[in-house]
Amino acid sequence: MLIMIANVLDANNLQSLRDNLGKTRYVDGRRTAGREARPVKRNEQVDRADPLLAVMQDLVVDRLLANPVFRMATRPHVVRPPLFSRYEPGMAYGSHVDDAIMGGMRTDVSVTIFLSEPDTYEGGELVIESAAGEQDVKLAAGDAVVYPTTALHRVAPVVSGERLAAVTWVRSLIRDADARELLFDLETARHALFDRLGKTPELDLLAKTQSNLLRRWAED
């Protein structure tokens, strides 16, 4: 399931992050890549030793967890501290799949939050591969895309400008991607019906069904 989420970060959040990113030290992004991804990764990332990193990580994780669509789409159990990446002209990240285990945590869902406005850089699309083909994603600053960690994906070469992004991973309470999608669809339908009809016996039955499916599938 691939979902775009608008306005995860507001203008004040973005300004704070950009101010801090302008003060941080960047290092070769290959330091955090797995063995097979390392040869195709050409970007820079904020140094893990930088004292501003934890402040930026806390802000992004807090805003993600405050977003109801993110919570519905991912059912988060643990959200990894984000990485902050910078792509300048000529930089790219070739086709790869994210590590299944990071820091001892299973990764189920990948999240990219765009920090640069799309008209400030050329290229740099996040390209997500699936059986249905490829999907190019290039969103407004502050928007996020949520996609399965199992998917092959890449960042197209940046031709001009600067692409800033935050990337993180989620261990979901619901391991199975199909089950997560079913629960997301059920909750989306429940909210829409409640807004239209108010509380009804039929909605109570849907709520019971969703709760019992969540109870059946959740891993704590």
Side-chain angles (χ1 to χ4, degrees):
M1 181 171 64
L2 188 153
I3 297 177
M4 282 71 155
I5 308 174
N7 302 316
V8 170
L9 302 174
D10 63 22
N12 290 332
N13 301 149
L14 287 167
Q15 189 60 55
S16 174
L17 288 171
R18 288 168 182 160
D19 288 346
N20 284 334
L21 287 169
K23 303 171 187 173
T24 55
R25 176 174 176 264
Y26 288 86
V27 296
D28 190 331
R30 287 175 291 186
R31 290 188 182 186
T32 60
R35 179 180 178 183
E36 295 181 8
R38 198 171 298 124
V40 297
K41 186 174 186 180
R42 299 191 309 279
N43 70 2
E44 297 175 326
Q45 288 173 182
V46 172
D47 189 342
R48 286 179 166 175
D50 194 294
L52 288 174
L53 179 59
V55 175
M56 297 189 293
Q57 289 173 328
D58 288 347
L59 171 59
V60 170
V61 172
D62 285 349
R63 298 318 303 156
L64 284 170
L65 292 175
N67 187 284
V69 179
F70 173 79
R71 296 196 305 271
M72 286 167 53
T74 66
R75 306 286 169 176
H77 182 50
V78 181
V79 180
R80 289 276 299 166
L83 299 176
F84 292 85
S85 62
R86 178 172 69 184
Y87 291 78
E88 295 183 325
M91 293 183 177
Y93 196 167
S95 184
H96 65 284
V97 65
D98 293 335
D99 289 344
I101 305 293
M102 295 186 187
M105 183 194 88
R106 187 187 73 239
T107 55
D108 300 312
V109 183
S110 298
V111 186
T112 296
I113 306 101
F114 291 80
L115 304 179
S116 299
E117 293 295 353
D119 60 357
T120 63
Y121 63 101
E122 183 180 356
E125 296 84 2
L126 173 64
V127 184
I128 301 170
E129 304 176 29
S130 73
E134 296 182 345
Q135 181 158 356
D136 293 359
V137 182
K138 188 174 183 178
L139 303 180
D143 292 358
V145 58
V146 172
Y147 52 101
T149 304
T150 54
L152 283 166
H153 57 285
R154 65 184 186 274
V155 176
V158 170
V159 177
S160 63
E162 179 183 70
R163 178 191 190 268
L164 298 173
V167 182
T168 188
W169 297 267
V170 179
R171 178 186 172 187
S172 178
L173 288 166
I174 309 299
R175 181 196 295 252
D176 184 79
D178 291 337
R180 281 198 307 274
E181 183 171 1
L182 189 154
L183 289 168
F184 178 82
D185 290 346
L186 269 176
E187 189 159 0
T188 301
R190 276 183 57 213
H191 289 175
L193 288 170
F194 182 82
D195 290 343
R196 189 191 312 167
L197 304 173
K199 183 174 170 60
T200 67
E202 292 80 9
L203 273 171
D204 288 343
L205 187 59
L206 279 177
K208 172 190 170 186
T209 300
Q210 181 188 330
S211 294
N212 287 336
L213 287 173
L214 183 58
R215 188 173 292 109
R216 175 185 290 266
W217 291 331
E219 301 176 3
D220 53 19

